[in-house]
Structure formats: C-alpha cells, structure tokens
Amino acid sequence: MKLHRLIAVAILCLGTVACSIPERGAAVPQGYTERAQPLGIANARFYADGDPAAMIQEALRAIEREKAALRAAGQSTTRLPPVTYLAVSGGGDNGAFGSGLMNGWTRSGTRPEFKMVTGVSTGALIAPFAFLGPNYDAALREVYTSMTPERVYRLRGLSAALFDDAMADTSPLAQIISTYADQKMLDAIAAEYQKGRLLLIGTTDLDAQRPVIWNIGAIAASGHPGALELFRKILRASAAIPGAFQPVFVDVEVDGKKYQEMHVDGGAIAQLFLYPASVDVSDSGLARSRTAYIIRNARLDPDYAASERRTLSIAARAIDTMLSSSGRNDVVRTYFISLRDEVDYNLAYIGSDFTTPRSGQFDQTYMRALYAYGEQQALSGQAWHKTPPGLGTGQ
C-alpha cells in the first residue's frame, strides 16, 4: 500500500470511533512555544515564521567564527570569500536522485564546500552527508542504493488508524539513522560549526502548527550528553510523514516544567527551504558573492495517472497532488528570495527524461536507476537550471 494511501486511510478512519489512544507527555502550553528549550540550548532551533532576530544573530556569530578560522589559517578577513548554500528537499525514495547527484558532483571535480546546508524529510537524511563533504559520499551512496521497505518501516494493521499514532512503525529507519548518525558524525559537524558553517534541518511542530529550523551544529557543539539522541530524533522527525510514519516527541522545558513537543515531517509546511523570507542576506553589509544550489528530489512536471472512482484512491491522489503543488511552490519561493537577495540560483530536479517505472515505495531497481540518473546529470553538467520550469528557459 502506498504511503499516501495509508494517510488517506488514517484520515477517513479518524473520528469514526471513540477509543483509547497512545499517551504522550504534556504539550507545551499555547503562548510558551518559543520559550521552550530542548536540552537547555538557547540556539538549538528557531521558528521559521517567527521573529528573525535570533536567526540573524546566529548568522552573525557564524561569520565571526568563520573570520576566526580564517585568521587561524593565516588568511585575510578584509574581504571574505564567496559562499555557497545547498538546500535539499523532501521526496521519500526520490532522495536517490539527490544522493547520486552529490556523488556525481564530487566526481566532476566542481563540488564546492557549502557555507550552509538545509534539509527537509529525505533531504534531512542527505544533508549531514552533504555538509561533511566527499568523505561521506560512500556512506550516502550505500544508504540510498540499499534501501528497501523493510529497512524503513513495518506496516501495522488497519486498526492502527484508530488505535495508534501511525499506519507504520519506523523502528527500522531509526536503526539506520543510528548506524550513520553516530558520535563521530556529530563531532565532525561540531568541528565545522566552529568554522562558521551551518547545518539546518526542518521539522513541523504539530502542536503549534509551526515550521522549526534545527541548528544541528549548535546542538553538536553544545557537548550535552543528550545531543546525539536529539540529533537522531530530529532526523527521524523530519522524515515522519504524518499519519503514515510515527511522530517524534522532543522533551523541552519552560520555567523548570517539563513538556513534550510532537514533531513530524517538515514537508507538512515546506518541502525545502533556503532561509526564511524574513531574512535578507544582502543586508549583511558584507561584499561577498553568494550562490545557492537547490535539489528538488521530485519531478516538477505533472505526473499523469487515471484516477479510480474510489474513495481511498481519490483521497490518496488528492494528497499526492497537494504535495506536488506544495513542492513546486517551494521551488518558486526560493527562486524569488534568491532573486531579491542577489544570490545566484541553481536548481536541479528529476526531469521528464527519467522514465524508469516504480513498482512500489523504496523499490531498489527504481532507486538505483534514479541514483545513476542523478550522478550522470552532475557528471554531464546538465543538472543545474537557472530558473524553475515555467518562469524562463530553465537553463
């Protein structure tokens, strides 16, 4: 059963029967959302729709750390070097495209070091590997060419729509995350954070209905004994498709009182982000060039399919259509933000020339073909487009 169909089943079953549901810790009271702190780390995360002051301050501190690293290396800070940003979108098993593209980009010899990497959903799983550079390419390739449904989730019965928190148990995914997102990776992220680089992961605070940007480098550099567990939770939460995959609970504290936040897939609000529209990077006062690379792990043309005249089929198709439209809107939004801030924009996505059929979610044949496609796109120099489809030539 497709994930979107699972979501449709859950939506249709909710509210039909009064029954017991899994317990959870107390939610953060309304109005306290932005005061809640995980692990007591003040800059662990930001709300993308809130006051941008805290994010701007974090960016300024990153610049100071960058300058300190340059001085330590004997380099001038009079004029800072160009910066490159990378944003990786959601897309489920289509993350094989982004994985292949990153590996092909390395092989092409043109892959830059990114000042900032952001990720949502499957993009959140790719982001740490991309952030840490080519030494992590082999691990990234292994993840996306060996994935199977059994390594991601275990289906529950249809009664889970009424009596549980999701249609599938993602314990297998949690195990994969624990294997790769280890203390060594966290320490490496902390080291790069000290050089002024940023790794940001998006989730959705479902209680508050707000987008959250997690500052992974700050969490890693905190030295808190719970940092690794929180890092793993964030990765799992960012890929937690509501209704299909289990939500993730994050323990927080406000005025000494403990609460739990429910976090799900960041794609519930935005399937990719570069930085919030409220932040204008051109207003930093720094004369440095900026380049953004956006990886959309999906096609951007309509995916035609004759819809069956059945309730679940219609609901699943409608959800799929909404997600596709949301993804295209995110691509356009990042384009106009880049245009406003004079950031050189480059977009990669799965083209209509990729025609390998998919037999189901996390089909290895499909994912390996898509990985090879992304890799070849990067090697051939054909991956990047200067505008989203429909807004220009796309070249």
Side-chain angles (χ1 to χ4, degrees), residues 3 63 80 89 93 127 160 164 167 180-181 183 328 339 375 379:
L3 295 180
I63 291 171
L80 293 176
S89 85
D93 54 4
D164 223 317
M167 299 301 295
Y180 293 96
Q183 190 62 49
R328 286 193 290 270
L339 196 65
E375 185 178 43
L379 286 170

Side-chain angles (χ1 to χ4, degrees), residues 212-282:
V212 181
I213 298 176
W214 292 90
N215 190 3
I216 304 301
I219 295 170
S222 71
H224 194 287
L228 180 58
E229 181 185 2
L230 179 58
F231 175 40
R232 291 169 171 170
K233 279 189 172 184
I234 292 165
L235 294 179
R236 189 177 179 185
S238 189
I241 303 168
F245 290 172
Q246 297 160 291
V248 173
F249 294 95
V250 176
D251 296 325
V252 297
E253 194 170 300
V254 181
D255 297 334
K257 294 183 178 180
K258 299 183 184 300
Y259 300 99
Q260 269 192 345
E261 297 173 340
M262 181 185 288
H263 285 261
V264 297
D265 192 339
I269 291 179
Q271 293 180 43
L272 69 87
F273 69 97
L274 189 55
Y275 48 84
S278 57
V279 176
D280 184 347
V281 300
S282 66

Side-chain angles (χ1 to χ4, degrees), residues 151 164 173 196 238 266 283 349 365 385:
R151 297 191 69 200
D164 223 317
L173 177 61
S238 189
D283 196 33
Y349 55 90
T365 300
H385 306 263

Side-chain angles (χ1 to χ4, degrees), residues 65 93 183 195-196 204 247 280 296 300 389:
R65 293 194 300 272
D93 54 4
Q183 190 62 49
K195 298 175 186 176
T204 297
D280 184 347
R296 175 61 179 138
L300 291 178

